[in-house]
Amino acid sequence: MNGPRVTPLALLEDSRCPPSVRCVWAGQVRVQVRIDLGSGSYTAELKQGVPIPVADGTLELVTVGPGPADGGIKPQAYRFGFRFMGGL
């Protein structure tokens, strides 16, 4: 296994600014995930662009799709990209 296995459990927040709106704040995405390591698993909250310590490295939510939408996005349509920097 090359790094931890990450499973999204729940979308906690998607406050990204839709393209047709002028926003003062760009917003953020937060997701609850299960992180499986060789030694066990646990849940954590990831915020896009903010790495958290995992094992002997860091895990970061780097991509969220689709992009922000005016009418909302169905939960099953979300796709997340994660990056693990380090080793196990």
Side-chain angles (χ1 to χ4, degrees):
M1 177 165 80
N2 293 332
R5 173 175 278 156
V6 182
T7 305
L9 298 175
L11 178 69
L12 302 174
E13 176 184 356
D14 183 355
S15 59
R16 296 174 293 168
C17 187
S20 64
V21 178
R22 178 178 251 172
C23 298
V24 175
W25 182 54
Q28 65 182 9
V29 174
R30 295 183 309 121
V31 63
Q32 182 180 34
V33 298
R34 184 180 68 235
I35 301 170
D36 294 306
L37 303 166
S39 59
S41 66
Y42 62 96
T43 60
E45 179 183 314
L46 288 172
K47 189 184 315 181
Q48 189 174 12
V50 180
I52 64 167
V54 171
D56 65 347
T58 60
L59 179 67
E60 181 179 356
L61 172 60
V62 292
T63 60
V64 178
D70 291 319
I73 301 168
K74 295 182 188 230
Q76 62 271 23
Y78 279 91
R79 298 293 177 258
F80 304 102
F82 305 96
R83 176 175 44 223
F84 178 69
M85 300 293 287
L88 289 175

